[in-house]
Amino acid sequence: MKFRDGYWNIHKSVRHLPKVAIVDVQKGEGKLSMFAATKKIEHRGSTLNTAVITTEITAVLPDVLHVRSYHFKGLPKRGPFFELAEDQAKLLAIETNKNSFAACSKDLSAHVATTGPGDVQFTYKGKVLTSSAGLLGGHAIVHDKEPYQVEYLNLGVGETIYGLGERFTAFVKNGQVVDIWNEDGGTSSEQAYKNIPFYLSSKGYGVLVASAGKVSFEVCSEVVTAVQFSVPGQCLDYYLIGGDDLKAVLHNYALLTGKPALVPPWSFGLWLSTSFVTNYDEKTVNSFIDGMQDHEIPLHVFHFDCFWMREFQWVDFLWDQRQFPDPKAMLKRLHERGLKVCVWINPYVAQKSYLFDEGMEKGYLVKNPDGSVWQWDRWQAGMGLVDFTNPEAVRWYQGKLALLLDMGVDTFKTDFGERIPIEVEYFDHSDPMLMHNYYTYLYNQAVFTLLEEKRGKHEALVFARSATVGGQKFPVHWGGDCSATYESMAESIRGGLSLSMCGFGYWSHDIGGFEKLATPDLFKRWVAFGLLSSHSRLHGNESYRVPWDFDEEACRVLKAFVELKCTLMPYLFAQACRTHESGLPMMRAMVLEFPSDPVCAYLDRQYLLGESLLVAPIFQDDGKAVYYLPKGRWTHLLSNKEVEGGSYQEEVYDYFSLPLFARPNTLLPIGNNTQQPDYPYNDKVTFHLFALDDAKEAEAAVYAHDGTVQAVCKIKRDGTVYEVAVEGELKNWAVCLRNIDNVASVSSGSLSHSAAGALITFAAQEKECRIMTA
């Protein structure tokens, strides 16, 4: 929201109360408070009829400062509020200087002068990050009745801004106007399903605006040297987050807002959907599964979309008996075929559903201000909305889902959660403007916690579309309704990378596009992208997404990439465990790993899958890939070709390959199972070593399915000597020295040669080896 008319003036409809003159700075226990008058104080009479803007600085975590700015503080505080780490007085150190104060949390400091306008400068280890301009920010009143609290944080030359949720606009947010307001807008507009009022700066800090409601960001779009953000009302809370690099900032953000849960290994396999409005019954489902088996394509999860329930009565959580006469027996048969089962749900209850009557009678549905049930006809006729602020309504909703879990369903696709009304009343009297965005948190939390209770920790996951701050704790999230075009495929990856910059650890998308029908060419290219994402689902709208509907080659391509992903599971699950431990995403924008490379600042058509594999999907029908490799020796995982980085590359790929490169100095654990994602990763694992520089050490861990470390392999290079050491339990393991054939001797194990390089295989009891290369 813009308050200024150009740089010098304020819009005629706005009365601006800036922080003009500091009148007092107070040092308290765990708090530094600054009081700034909104005009110059020339004499005692100037103190009359003059507003004061108060800024309070506290500490939450090491390198995380909480800034609160307000005009009036006497208003009642209505929730909901994000679940964030609480302020800790003992973490704030206040330094007193001659003309200023510094409020410090570990290496992050906020500097406040004792005179002048109410500016605040933020530094990390003495380096200036940004500053709050008192004369720009403060309080604004629009049309003499709409109050807003406003902040401007300065941007430096070349500074770039990322995040603000799963946004399908340009990856770098400079120049954009962003309103944090969840909407069901597809992937081709400025609207977003997952709005997160958090941005990450290339300068090495993050900012979270702690308002669950509508936050408006002007990223270099009002004042071109600042990010301006505003919230309705009298008070603005935000968190300034520091760290040694962008990954450290994201880790601190995860400590503040919550880390992603660890999802089960089976979820990384291939998901196949019935699609949305297609006709299907048990016979159709079996034909899909049989077809995958006939084409020898490994399949791991089958998803039933909306019409597993009868039309006009979503949601009632009852199988449509016309199509599925014995669902319990069907689910048992699917499990016997080695499949997990997911079913579609949402929080909307159609008037025709028996749940509507139950919910209305017991007061479990959101109400109008007059006490009647809120209803409309969008999506489902006369539908109501489950009131998740009512604990009894949560238990009621969970009880219906529990019956499905007892029947044999394994997980849920928690669709929707964005179309939330604002002129309503909630059970706990939450502010409906704040609940619009926050509703999705309560919805997905209710489903996820039930799954944890019924299935156990690390076995729970949902497949969610909407989100707000903290939603990363309830994975997985997918990118919504994309179209079957290369442009929409590019939109999807931009959205996923933007979301990942907000601490969301796992992300998926509809392979082949949701709307329309992909060409065989596009489908095959999207398959490669989809299977090299953290989670992989075939899903569509009016048409099926089985590969033989495209062509026979599509079946072979899908088979190849599913099998590739299965072999990569020792590496991928290790990365998932680190995502759970650190809060860092599995799919990472290039700038996150290479912040000092200026080329990487704008790259949004390639990414790192984990910390060691670079993926560059192909976006054109001639098969040409245009991608960038940072400096170093990169090795193509499939062809074994080494490429010296530091420049753009152009190549043409067939459908069975794409730019997929191992990072220099990488030790990559690869399994031997091409059919399942959930096998013992410490059995017959091969550690592939890529381009290890002299005097460097590479390390790789192998994890059990519960997230505990089973073994760690380390390889250190000293000239022509490679020292291998293993701690923990491995069974029949091996080491492959990629592109090294001239091995003179090994101190243990059995040496052979493969097309990829020298291969040394070991028995379980062998833990060390000295490899001499010629």
Side-chain angles (χ1 to χ4, degrees), residues 593-664:
E593 287 289 339
F594 301 96
S596 60
D597 188 332
V599 177
C600 292
Y602 288 84
L603 295 180
D604 60 6
R605 294 192 298 275
Q606 61 185 76
Y607 55 92
L608 287 180
L609 182 56
E611 60 190 358
S612 299
L613 287 180
L614 185 151
V615 182
I618 295 172
F619 295 94
Q620 49 196 69
D621 58 13
D622 62 2
K624 181 185 288 187
V626 180
Y627 59 97
Y628 176 77
L629 294 178
K631 291 181 180 179
R633 286 186 298 145
W634 295 78
T635 307
H636 194 275
L637 186 68
L638 304 180
S639 72
N640 215 37
K641 177 183 177 182
E642 280 194 1
V643 179
E644 190 64 38
S647 63
Y648 275 94
Q649 311 289 324
E650 287 191 22
E651 293 172 299
V652 174
Y653 286 83
D654 65 21
Y655 293 118
F656 294 89
S657 189
L658 77 166
L660 175 59
F661 285 88
R663 190 173 182 172

Side-chain angles (χ1 to χ4, degrees), residues 210-223:
S211 171
K214 190 172 189 176
V215 184
S216 178
F217 286 88
E218 298 278 346
V219 187
C220 313
S221 50
E222 184 192 40
V223 173

Side-chain angles (χ1 to χ4, degrees), residues 436-481:
H436 173 85
N437 287 340
Y438 196 75
Y439 185 90
T440 177
Y441 183 89
L442 299 179
Y443 164 39
N444 281 290
Q445 181 185 51
V447 180
F448 190 87
T449 54
L450 171 69
L451 285 163
E452 278 197 326
E453 292 168 7
K454 298 285 285 186
R455 294 289 183 255
K457 194 174 183 180
H458 305 327
E459 276 295 313
L461 82 156
V462 294
F463 215 83
R465 189 174 75 174
S466 58
T468 188
V469 172
Q472 70 273 7
K473 294 183 289 186
F474 317 125
V476 171
H477 293 82
W478 103 96
D481 296 347

Side-chain angles (χ1 to χ4, degrees), residues 617-749:
I618 295 172
F619 295 94
Q620 49 196 69
D621 58 13
D622 62 2
K624 181 185 288 187
V626 180
Y627 59 97
Y628 176 77
L629 294 178
K631 291 181 180 179
R633 286 186 298 145
W634 295 78
T635 307
H636 194 275
L637 186 68
L638 304 180
S639 72
N640 215 37
K641 177 183 177 182
E642 280 194 1
V643 179
E644 190 64 38
S647 63
Y648 275 94
Q649 311 289 324
E650 287 191 22
E651 293 172 299
V652 174
Y653 286 83
D654 65 21
Y655 293 118
F656 294 89
S657 189
L658 77 166
L660 175 59
F661 285 88
R663 190 173 182 172
N665 302 300
T666 286
L667 188 61
L668 193 76
I670 297 180
N672 75 326
N673 191 322
T674 62
Q675 302 302 302
Q676 295 294 331
D678 49 349
Y679 53 92
Y681 302 135
N682 67 335
D683 189 7
K684 299 178 183 177
V685 61
T686 299
F687 295 92
H688 291 246
L689 183 67
F690 295 92
L692 184 63
D693 295 330
D694 195 13
K696 293 277 190 179
E697 183 177 79
E699 178 180 316
V702 175
Y703 287 76
H705 294 179
D706 63 359
T708 58
V709 176
Q710 289 182 299
V712 176
C713 180
K714 299 179 181 180
I715 300 182
K716 184 176 182 179
R717 180 184 173 187
D718 183 4
T720 59
V721 178
Y722 294 80
E723 298 280 357
V724 181
V726 166
E727 295 179 0
E729 182 182 358
L730 292 176
K731 302 176 183 178
N732 304 309
W733 59 287
V735 168
C736 181
L737 304 181
R738 286 291 191 113
N739 288 309
I740 296 178
D741 295 313
N742 53 342
V743 173
S745 64
V746 295
S747 63
S748 62

Side-chain angles (χ1 to χ4, degrees), residues 57-59 63-67 92 103 105 108-110 122 238-240:
I57 302 171
T58 53
D63 295 330
V64 180
L65 290 173
H66 178 188
V67 181
L92 192 75
S105 177
L108 180 66
S109 300
F122 298 95
Y238 68 91
Y239 294 80
L240 201 295

